[in-house]
Amino acid sequence: MGWAIAVHGGAGDIPLSLPPEKRLPREAGLRRCLDVGIAALKAHNHPLDVVELVVRELENNPHFNAGKGSVLTTSGTVEMEACIMDGKTMKCGAVSGVSTVVNAISLARLVMDKTPHIYLAFDGAEAFAREQGLETVEMSHFITPENIERLKQAQEADRVQLDYTQPIPKEVPKEAAVADGDSQTGTVGCVAVDSEGSLATATSTGGIVNKMVGRIGDTPIIGAGTYANHLCAISATGRGEAIIRGTIARDVAAVMEFKGLSLKEAAAYVIDQVPRGNAGLIAVSSTGEVTMPFNTTGMFRACATEDGYSEIAIWDSPTK
């Protein structure tokens, strides 16, 4: 048994031809966040603090769809969501519809620590953030030129999409483009276990490009996009509606508990039950196992364990 950590920056239709200017900053961001998490675990920080710290770093990186890099709704606004959960106590906190809070994951942590509730959304979540003194900014802080362009592309194609969807060639008929055009990416997450077997998970997202105002995905829903108990911690990514239907995160823990499978076997089984092209997840177990399966083209991911193993990858072949 030893500590382990995994990080993701979204799973989906990530083409092998992804240009270096899009790929390299994300790989560098994953590497930095992994290093931050490793240092925190080595300093004996609690996994709950570790996952919050790492996801804050991801939220502050405009190359990922969370916080600063959040994608836009059909109205051109930002509606962020986040969730955090402790495996030992099963305490958790979640938020949706956040538009001015710099780090939604820290707001979710405060919901867990400072309220009798689990989930706050929209005006109530925003008011609670101000009440607690969290850093807030104008919504324009989160709106990047790249995401304005993504929204324009999505609206021209009359579709919702996530942030790795490639531009649609103008000459392609809209019907052909929309048929299988929805990208399955756009979340960040971290799972961690310490050398004593304590587990935690955190997930954050801007949602999907051109989503309806008020749409809520899997990220803040306990058991769908985020879950931790005494056996494992999971953070999912992909098409939120498919992840919610499949209760993916909870199912990994359930399959481990009731079928007696290992973490790797359980996660692979659960992902296999989801229609192809829809989901990925990262998970760690109380014994220090780590797994990062996905059924999409790729998933921005990284992991490390106390025994010295580390990996940073997008597609099937890891990049060291």
Side-chain angles (χ1 to χ4, degrees):
M1 186 191 299
W3 59 258
I5 184 170
V7 180
H8 74 75
D13 182 19
I14 307 170
L16 292 169
S17 59
L18 189 71
E21 64 268 20
K22 293 183 179 293
R23 175 177 57 84
L24 295 176
R26 289 182 169 108
E27 288 180 339
L30 287 175
R31 184 171 285 107
R32 169 174 164 70
C33 290
L34 186 64
D35 289 343
V36 165
I38 291 170
L41 283 168
K42 286 182 175 178
H44 305 292
N45 290 358
H46 191 280
L48 199 61
D49 297 325
V50 174
V51 296
E52 180 186 1
L53 178 66
V54 170
V55 170
R56 283 175 62 94
E57 289 285 331
L58 289 161
E59 289 175 336
N60 294 339
N61 186 325
H63 298 288
F64 296 107
N65 176 16
K68 175 68 175 170
S70 292
V71 297
L72 306 180
T73 70
T74 187
S75 297
T77 56
V78 168
E79 291 182 355
M80 300 172 284
E81 18 192 58
C83 185
I84 191 166
M85 187 167 187
D86 176 65
K88 186 169 289 186
T89 65
M90 296 187 72
K91 289 180 65 178
C92 46
V95 294
S96 284
V98 176
S99 59
T100 69
V101 179
V102 172
N103 293 113
I105 195 62
S106 292
L107 179 56
R109 176 74 184 270
L110 285 171
V111 172
M112 182 186 85
D113 287 343
K114 303 289 187 181
T115 81
H117 308 305
I118 289 174
Y119 197 160
L120 293 180
F122 296 93
D123 290 349
E126 289 279 338
F128 179 64
R130 291 190 293 271
E131 181 185 302
Q132 293 295 313
L134 280 185
E135 184 182 2
T136 58
V137 292
E138 293 296 319
M139 189 190 296
S140 58
H141 166 84
F142 303 102
I143 299 176
T144 65
E146 189 175 15
N147 283 330
I148 292 172
E149 181 60 28
R150 285 177 181 138
L151 178 61
K152 181 182 175 186
Q153 291 172 11
Q155 290 179 332
E156 286 175 352
D158 190 24
R159 71 179 186 183
V160 295
Q161 67 184 47
L162 281 150
D163 63 338
Y164 305 129
T165 300
Q166 297 303 290
I168 301 168
K170 298 264 190 245
E171 64 272 13
V172 176
K174 187 172 73 174
E175 292 75 15
V178 172
D180 193 33
D182 294 345
S183 174
Q184 320 297 325
T185 59
T187 306
V188 302
C190 179
V191 293
V193 60
D194 64 17
S195 55
E196 296 178 358
S198 297
L199 292 149
T201 177
T203 315
S204 183
T205 188
I208 56 178
V209 182
N210 202 29
K211 65 182 180 179
M212 291 176 65
V213 171
R215 180 262 187 186
I216 293 170
D218 65 289
T219 290
I221 298 178
I222 303 299
T226 310
Y227 189 75
N229 67 4
H230 65 289
L231 293 173
C232 58
I234 300 99
S235 175
T237 172
R239 174 164 295 285
E241 285 72 14
I243 293 170
I244 293 168
R245 290 187 193 104
T247 58
I248 286 177
R250 168 59 186 156
D251 273 13
V252 174
V255 169
M256 286 182 71
E257 183 171 0
F258 301 124
K259 290 179 74 79
L261 298 187
S262 69
L263 177 74
K264 188 172 184 179
E265 292 168 335
Y269 173 83
V270 169
I271 288 295
D272 194 48
Q273 304 306 302
V274 182
R276 186 156 187 83
N278 278 280
L281 65 83
I282 55 173
V284 291
S285 73
S286 60
T287 57
E289 299 170 278
V290 60
T291 190
M292 304 185 291
F294 54 96
N295 68 11
T296 54
T297 306
M299 179 169 74
F300 285 99
R301 63 199 190 276
C303 71
T305 59
E306 189 171 346
D307 63 11
Y309 179 79
S310 68
E311 174 185 333
I312 297 173
I314 305 172
W315 302 284
D316 285 338
S317 300
T319 55
K320 298 296 183 182

